[in-house]
Amino acid sequence: MPRTIRPTTSLIRVAACLGVAALTLTACGSGSGSDSAGDGSGSVKVGLITKTDTNPFFVKMKEGAEKAAKDSGAQLITSAGKFDGDNAGQVTAIENMVAAGVKGILITPSDSKAIVPALEKARAKGILVIALDSPTDPESAVDALFATDNLRAGELIGAYAKASMKGKAAKIATLDLAPGVAVGVQRHNGFLKGFGIGEKDPAIVCSQDTGGDQAKGQTAMENCLQKAPGINVVYTINEPAALGAYTALKAKGREKDVLIVSVDGGCTGTQAVKDGKIGATSQQYPLKMAAEGVGAVVKYAKDGKKATGYTDTGVSLITDKTQAGAASKDTAYGLDNCWG
């Protein structure tokens, strides 16, 4: 359930964070200049480490953490990897935050396994560690996980796609992420579950990895169309891959008769749903993940109770073409709640 973050009026409200360079720590606190990272005022220090500081998803996550820190009188220290997969940079950020005296660390792990030893060291010092968006491997390496239910996100668009076919035989292309990546596996499996088919079902006529990249999504769709020209349903791991698929389909004059479904709910992707390029998407909420994470750290600082287990931060099916049995919200709602 969402946690209510209440302002602490006895603390000076936090100043807005300036832009942060990759792998540098920036404090949003109750003071200014060098005092903002540790002014001795007793403000709770919260660390946020994202995979990068350029991806719109993580930019929105940071905004959520900044607002929550400001509202609760906490000091936010932020860091990011130079690129998605920069485990060494995240390890350095953890070490710096521990040295700075944070009470809790929120992290979107770039490498779910390699980051574990650094997180275990932080936890051994009594620091609350919460994974955001992506779980660690094992999940028990952190105290808690605040994230989208990616299996559920896949189920929503799978059920929507099934309803949209209205009994017509499906020829499905799955444009996936990469082998073994938890988020991609969960979304893929959720789609199949929602559509009511198994991995070996003959309805799946092509599967390609895209890395979640638009250009690779276009290439993957081109390859699938060569292999199976009659494709009429396309599942994509995210909206960049979906837009790549749309470009390939449009080049073949197929953009009107192939249903594309996706996951993320970024502003560009949601606008693509409104424009009819994507049939539906499952929207997730990075701002909420970070805000609830900050709230959990502040609560821990006050009462010593650590957040535990998994907290579902919500997902909504976004489409303007409703289907019976597939509850959804329209793109007006999606654009009001999108990120990027």
Side-chain angles (χ1 to χ4, degrees):
M1 296 293 291
R3 293 173 174 80
T4 300
I5 304 172
R6 301 182 183 279
T8 305
T9 55
S10 61
L11 298 174
I12 304 173
R13 294 177 67 84
V14 66
C17 258
L18 299 174
V20 56
L23 298 181
T24 61
L25 298 178
T26 301
C28 282
S30 55
S32 60
S34 62
D35 287 341
S36 65
D39 59 3
S41 67
S43 297
V44 178
K45 294 179 182 177
V46 183
L48 172 67
I49 304 170
T50 53
K51 294 180 181 180
T52 70
D53 61 3
T54 55
N55 185 311
F57 185 87
F58 300 124
V59 171
K60 181 59 68 173
M61 184 176 283
K62 183 181 171 184
E63 289 177 9
E66 287 172 352
K67 184 178 187 303
K70 180 178 180 180
D71 289 347
S72 60
Q75 297 179 36
L76 181 68
I77 302 173
T78 65
S79 185
K82 292 179 179 178
F83 53 88
D84 195 334
D86 183 13
N87 182 70
Q90 290 197 322
V91 169
T92 298
I94 292 169
E95 293 170 347
N96 289 341
M97 288 180 179
V98 170
V102 296
K103 193 68 177 178
I105 293 174
L106 313 174
I107 184 168
T108 59
S110 283
D111 188 316
S112 59
K113 290 184 177 180
I115 198 66
V116 168
L119 296 178
E120 289 177 339
K121 289 180 182 178
R123 292 178 72 192
K125 295 181 181 296
I127 294 171
L128 174 65
V129 178
I130 297 174
L132 302 180
D133 181 50
S134 303
T136 52
D137 185 6
E139 289 188 20
S140 59
V142 295
D143 293 291
L145 169 66
F146 287 15
T148 304
D149 183 340
N150 282 294
L151 185 70
R152 177 62 179 160
E155 283 186 66
L156 289 175
I157 56 171
Y160 176 85
K162 179 69 172 180
S164 297
M165 294 304 291
K166 301 186 186 305
K168 182 180 177 181
K171 294 184 178 181
I172 302 169
T174 68
L175 304 192
D176 298 300
L177 186 58
V181 180
V183 170
V185 171
Q186 291 165 0
R187 292 181 184 183
H188 174 96
N189 290 346
F191 170 80
L192 298 185
K193 182 179 178 181
F195 204 91
I197 57 177
E199 189 66 57
K200 302 296 184 180
D201 195 287
I204 303 171
V205 296
C206 185
S207 293
Q208 296 267 307
D209 291 331
T210 68
D213 178 78
Q214 184 164 339
K216 291 179 181 178
Q218 180 177 343
T219 299
M221 190 71 249
E222 290 168 349
N223 292 339
C224 282
L225 286 171
Q226 288 182 349
K227 178 182 179 181
I231 288 168
N232 53 17
V233 176
V234 181
Y235 155 81
T236 62
I237 178 62
N238 64 5
E239 291 149 1
L243 289 171
Y246 176 82
T247 300
L249 288 164
K250 187 174 181 180
K252 295 289 187 180
R254 296 287 315 282
E255 76 275 15
K256 299 294 186 182
D257 62 328
V258 178
L259 172 67
I260 302 174
V261 292
S262 195
V263 179
D264 264 352
C267 294
T268 299
T270 304
Q271 183 63 47
V273 175
K274 183 177 181 179
D275 294 342
K277 297 177 180 179
I278 301 173
T281 193
S282 287
Q283 185 172 66
Q284 54 181 340
Y285 304 103
L287 189 151
K288 186 177 180 182
M289 293 177 197
E292 293 195 6
V294 170
V297 175
V298 172
K299 184 178 185 299
Y300 170 54
K302 290 179 179 180
D303 61 19
K305 295 181 180 179
K306 291 185 175 182
T308 59
Y310 168 63
T311 297
D312 182 357
T313 52
V315 62
S316 302
L317 179 68
I318 304 297
T319 185
D320 287 332
K321 299 177 181 178
T322 59
Q323 298 294 334
S328 62
K329 299 181 184 298
D330 62 19
T331 55
Y333 176 91
L335 290 169
D336 282 344
N337 291 275
C338 65
W339 44 268

